[in-house]
């Protein structure tokens, strides 16, 4: 994304979302029985890591669409867009894959199916894990393949937005996915580890469409988007609270669709400068700094947390809450520090330069 498409606060949001995913995995590995909450009820808010990934996808669609929105929803070349996405995303991902395979094979297994094998390397190396099953070296990698597939779809989505408008784009994509869910058994699609990109396309489109607020008329920009986002979030949070974690996890297909409008309106609020107190928080140096290497944090935190939980914590604390607290105190800062070092080596060089010829 070029400087002209930058919106203050988005990097900070990425950082906070990545931090939540780390805490989710600290919780997940400390308390068995997911999606049932076997930990303290006051930690129940940490159980919904999937929704943080959904937010990443909404934010991705929003960020990628900012520059096209300012240019009449034109992209500036499909091949150029895909090359720049590959240059930005793949090098740190491949480095994290090597690290994750090494940790999963030699230190602590990342999958109940067994240690990584040749199929793992091929499938994950080609970013095909959303299409083909393989032993995972890192449980966070599923969303990288989903996002890669949505990148391939992005030029077509922009074309529909430009030619037919936002309403047709959002309605068309959402209705296709809703129909898929309704036609499933008991009108609820059972998700596995693969083929999640089609289910999550509407949340990406929600972010893409919300980017239009950047060039919208002043009347639209002045709408209370933050309050509208909060209002849209109330029924979703109420449903989660009433139904519980197990029901929510088993119905993420529908929950994702329900939460996407609130997330998109929230990003519209940030883009139009509200709420002020949150923008000030997102502008602080620690939050901005965290956001700067949030991709690396997302990529490599899980092997770090798993080593802490399964190899170090048992020697010092008992299972359950003591392990969780130990992991937060030790594993969280270790993940952040490791991610910062990793980013300086494998992410920032590709973030600063557009291609290998760039000065």
């Amino acid at each position: 994304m070029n400087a002209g498409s930058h919106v203050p606060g988005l990097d900070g949001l990425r950082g906070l979302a990545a931090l939540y995913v780390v805490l989710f995995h600290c919780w997940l590995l400390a308390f068995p029985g997911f999606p049932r909450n076997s930990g303290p009820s006051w930690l129940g808010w940490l159980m919904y890591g999937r929704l943080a990934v959904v937010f990443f996808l909404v934010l991705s669609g929003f960020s990628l669409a900012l520059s096209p929105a300012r240019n009449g929803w034109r992209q500036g070349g499909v091949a150029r867009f895909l090359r720049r996405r590959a240059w930005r995303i793949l090098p740190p991902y491949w480095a994290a894959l090597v690290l994750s395979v090494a940790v999963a094979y030699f230190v602590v297994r990342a999958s109940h199916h067994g240690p990584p094998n040749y199929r793992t390397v091929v499938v994950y190396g080609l970013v095909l894990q959303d299409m083909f099953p393989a032993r995972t070296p890192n449980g966070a990698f599923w969303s990288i393949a989903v996002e890669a597939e949505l990148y391939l779809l992005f030029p077509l989505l922009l074309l529909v937005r430009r030619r037919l408008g936002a309403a047709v784009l959002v309605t068309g994509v959402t209705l296709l996915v809703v129909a898929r869910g309704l036609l499933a058994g008991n009108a609820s699609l059972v998700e596995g580890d693969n083929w999640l990109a089609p289910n999550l396309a509407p949340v990406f489109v929600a972010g893409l469409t919300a980017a239009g607020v950047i060039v919208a008329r002043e009347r639209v920009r002045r709408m209370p988007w933050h309050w509208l986002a909060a209002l849209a979030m109330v029924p979703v949070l109420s449903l989660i609270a009433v139904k519980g974690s197990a029901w929510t996890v088993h119905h993420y297909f529908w929950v994702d669709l329900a939460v996407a409008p609130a997330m998109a309106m929230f990003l519209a609020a940030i883009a139009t400068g509200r709420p002020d107190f949150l923008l000030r928080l997102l502008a602080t140096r620690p939050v901005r700094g965290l956001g700067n290497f949030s991709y690396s944090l997302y990529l490599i935190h899980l092997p770090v947390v798993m080593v802490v939980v399964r190899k170090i914590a048992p020697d010092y604390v008992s299972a359950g809450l003591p392990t969780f607290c130990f992991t937060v105190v030790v594993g969280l800062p270790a993940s952040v520090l490791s991610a910062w070092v990793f980013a300086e080596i494998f992410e920032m060089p590709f973030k600063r330069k557009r291609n290998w010829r760039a000065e």
Side-chain angles (χ1 to χ4, degrees), residues 139-212:
F141 281 176
W142 69 270
S143 67
I144 307 301
V146 169
E147 188 137 2
E149 293 172 54
L150 293 173
Y151 289 160
L152 295 175
L153 193 61
F154 184 68
L156 176 61
L157 298 175
L158 278 185
L159 178 64
V160 175
R161 172 62 182 85
R162 183 171 73 250
R163 296 285 181 84
L164 302 177
V168 172
L169 174 62
V170 173
T171 303
V173 173
T174 303
L175 285 180
L176 285 173
V177 176
V178 167
R180 184 167 182 252
L182 292 176
L183 291 174
N186 297 319
S188 183
L189 193 69
V190 178
E191 294 185 327
D193 296 328
N194 310 106
W195 298 106
L196 293 173
N199 304 352
L200 291 166
V203 308
F204 184 78
V205 167
L208 184 160
T209 305

Side-chain angles (χ1 to χ4, degrees), residues 48-62:
Y48 305 102
R50 163 71 171 257
L51 297 183
V53 177
V54 169
F55 180 70
F56 274 128
L57 293 175
V58 177
L59 181 54
S60 179
F62 185 87

Side-chain angles (χ1 to χ4, degrees), residues 7 98 108 110 114 145 175 215 222 273 298-299 311-312 347 353:
V7 170
V98 172
V108 56
L175 285 180
V215 293
R222 292 177 59 185
Y298 183 83
L299 287 174
K311 292 294 183 180
I312 301 176
E347 182 181 1
K353 297 182 179 182

Side-chain angles (χ1 to χ4, degrees), residues 1-8 10 62-68 70 214:
M1 185 165 41
N2 57 41
S5 61
H6 178 70
V7 170
L10 296 190
F62 185 87
S63 300
L64 291 175
L66 288 173
S67 183
R70 290 188 171 106
I214 294 296

